[in-house]
Amino acid sequence: MKAIVYKGPRDVVVKKVPDAKIKKATDVLVKITTTNICGSDLHMYEGRTNMEPGRIFGHENLGTVIEIGSAVDRVKRGDRVCMPFNISCGFCENCERGLTGFCLTTNPGNAGAAYGFAGMGPYSGGQAELLRVPYADFNCLVLPPDADEKENDYVMLSDIFPTGYHATELAGVQAGDSVVIYGAGPVGLMAAYSSIIKGASKVMVVDMHKDRLALAEKIGAIAVNDSDGSGVEQVMALTAGIGADRGCECVGYQCCDHKGHEVPNLTMNNLVKTVRPTGGIGVVGVFIPEDPHAKDKLAKQGRIAFDFGQFWIKGQHIGTGQANVKAYNRKLCKLIAEGKAKPSFIISHELPLDRAVEAYENFDARKDGWTKVVLKPGH
Ligand SMILES: NC(=O)c1ccc[n+]([C@@H]2O[C@H](COP(=O)([O-])OP(=O)(O)OC[C@H]3O[C@@H](n4cnc5c(N)ncnc54)[C@H](O)[C@@H]3O)[C@@H](O)[C@H]2O)c1
Ligand SMILES: [Zn+2]
Ligand SMILES: [Zn+2]
């Protein structure tokens, strides 16, 4: 089969690799029809993780089941399915509580596994023609009959729509709240979209990229352009000097100042500044336990200088971590099926797998107009 293979920093190749196969009776084999490139792939692509060369990328996957293991009960050959990026067992202590991003079975010694992901188990990704799906009865979301027509919406259920929603859950967003979101990438836009779906009264999205901010405005959010570094003051002015009720971090450890220099503590401290006393902060942007290629000494050890005193005095609370996709994907699927949500609005490029190299280059450069790439292996 053809797949996108990581060779080294900023070096991926589309090449023939051995076909993915069923390994356990609980697996299914999926023929991938849509697979996305994610901001999380970029941390790996840039060589800022311990991703091993030779691994196949891709954790945002949708396709058709073509083979089922002998112990698979529910999922049938021919089903159109979307897989959460988390690979989870369904029976461990965390899965039982709905915390499938922290499964204790699928990545022994750690909590949480994913397809084609650094530090999240040995699993191959789905930026390929075929994908092996473990514990398939638990992990496959079987899609409604309009799966083909709405494929570009449903594929967002694999990660970024539930992840954006998770950010709002961690922050505690409820109807009537004001929300500030750092990052207008796909995840930040989905956090804004989820806040709007929940009935937030005011949603402010901070970024420096005009094309991404324009999408935030298109869904009814207020764009806060931080290209001169005045984002924090703008948010305070928009909230009568008090700060937003809730805040979401949708950038991660590679966040930058307005000059484009990485400042790993910037968004976290900006959230402490721009969320009101007793407000909630949800952090889905990725922070990693060690970052050997970081410029600053603290960051190399996975640490940031966090304004804990301000945070404490303001009585804020914070929630972090990988999204438990299965906690939300079924409900968000219904919103799509009923025409109440259309997350495909963020897609800028739909390309065949063969054009992945240029897609990675352009998305990594956050080149104007490259907001979200979906790849179609069958084309
Ligand atoms: N927790 C999870 O389950 C989960 C799931 C998916 C993605 N993620 C993470 O979410 C983050 C965002 O993903 P994405 O696909 O949207 O990535 P992306 O890289 O496309 O978008 C990030 C955006 O943040 C902006 N940005 C950089 N510095 C900023 C700052 N100081 N203030 C405001 N905006 C700033 C960039 O301009 C960019 O538009 C990544 O860290 C990704 O790994 C987490
Ligand atoms: Zn992703
Ligand atoms: Zn589990």
Side-chain angles (χ1 to χ4, degrees):
M1 65 174 185
K2 259 194 282 182
I4 301 176
V5 175
Y6 175 67
K7 285 177 69 186
R10 294 200 162 84
D11 192 4
V12 292
V13 62
V14 183
K15 66 173 201 178
K16 284 257 180 207
V17 297
D19 281 359
K21 278 199 214 54
I22 289 196
K23 289 187 184 162
K24 281 181 75 176
T26 43
D27 294 348
V28 298
L29 192 65
V30 172
K31 181 172 186 279
I32 296 295
T33 53
T34 305
T35 177
N36 308 336
I37 303 179
C38 176
S40 297
D41 291 322
L42 298 181
H43 305 306
M44 298 184 267
Y45 175 75
E46 291 172 15
R48 292 291 294 275
T49 66
N50 56 2
M51 188 64 166
E52 309 86 356
R55 299 269 315 269
I56 302 171
F57 277 152
H59 59 270
E60 302 191 1
N61 304 311
L62 183 152
T64 307
V65 176
I66 55 167
E67 203 181 322
I68 57 170
S70 57
V72 174
D73 249 1
R74 180 180 68 95
V75 178
K76 303 277 179 292
R77 201 174 284 129
D79 279 350
R80 299 283 280 140
V81 289
C82 180
M83 276 62 64
F85 76 87
N86 328 100
I87 305 172
S88 45
C89 69
F91 51 74
C92 74
E93 196 175 335
N94 285 346
C95 283
E96 272 180 3
R97 292 163 58 212
L99 307 173
T100 54
F102 301 86
C103 177
L104 299 169
T105 308
T106 45
N107 187 10
N110 298 282
Y115 303 96
F117 220 107
M120 297 190 74
Y123 305 94
S124 289
Q127 289 171 10
E129 289 172 305
L130 299 169
L131 178 71
R132 171 193 167 225
V133 178
Y135 299 111
D137 274 333
F138 188 64
N139 285 309
C140 292
L141 178 73
V142 177
L143 297 169
D146 60 357
D148 290 351
E149 187 195 320
K150 293 184 180 165
E151 180 155 349
N152 285 349
D153 293 302
Y154 288 129
V155 73
M156 301 307 165
L157 295 171
S158 58
D159 180 352
I160 59 165
F161 194 11
T163 295
Y165 197 87
H166 188 56
T168 70
E169 286 291 286
L170 292 173
V173 176
Q174 293 182 356
D177 280 344
S178 57
V179 188
V180 60
I181 292 160
Y182 287 86
V187 172
L189 290 169
M190 286 297 117
Y193 199 45
S194 300
S195 300
I196 290 163
I197 287 170
K198 285 180 162 187
S201 55
K202 185 183 273 188
V203 180
M204 297 156 279
V205 182
V206 186
D207 203 307
M208 289 139 282
H209 290 287
K210 281 197 188 124
D211 55 332
R212 296 177 171 211
L213 289 169
L215 285 173
E217 278 182 329
K218 206 169 140 190
I219 54 167
I222 300 170
V224 176
N225 191 331
D226 190 40
S227 50
D228 63 356
S230 69
V232 166
E233 290 97 274
Q234 292 182 57
V235 176
M236 293 312 279
L238 284 163
T239 54
I242 297 164
D245 296 315
R246 313 284 162 188
C248 300
E249 207 292 348
C250 301
V251 187
Y253 70 108
Q254 289 189 258
C255 62
C256 294
D257 65 14
H258 64 287
K259 293 187 180 126
H261 301 132
E262 276 189 30
V263 183
N265 61 355
L266 188 59
T267 48
M268 288 306 299
N269 288 340
N270 285 348
L271 277 159
V272 171
K273 287 191 184 104
T274 55
V275 169
R276 72 161 161 80
T278 74
I281 300 171
V283 184
V284 293
V286 164
F287 288 80
I288 55 174
E290 50 184 45
D291 180 13
H293 298 294
K295 293 220 171 77
D296 95 51
K297 197 172 151 218
L298 274 183
K300 280 187 199 298
Q301 303 165 329
R303 297 178 175 167
I304 61 167
F306 179 57
D307 290 345
F308 191 73
Q310 269 300 325
F311 172 74
W312 190 93
I313 226 67
K314 290 179 92 170
Q316 295 166 332
H317 62 269
I318 194 167
T320 67
Q322 299 283 4
N324 306 300
V325 169
K326 269 188 70 84
Y328 317 108
N329 65 355
R330 199 181 287 276
K331 282 192 180 177
L332 298 177
C333 179
K334 287 181 186 164
L335 288 180
I336 295 171
E338 296 299 332
K340 304 265 194 227
K342 206 167 172 33
S344 61
F345 77 86
I346 63 162
I347 295 175
S348 57
H349 292 78
E350 191 174 316
L351 299 171
L353 203 61
D354 287 329
R355 288 181 62 190
V357 174
E358 83 181 78
Y360 266 94
E361 279 170 12
N362 287 302
F363 184 55
D364 181 50
R366 276 70 173 189
K367 200 163 162 191
D368 197 39
W370 287 75
T371 45
K372 184 77 177 172
V373 182
V374 299
L375 299 167
K376 305 279 175 176
H379 294 234

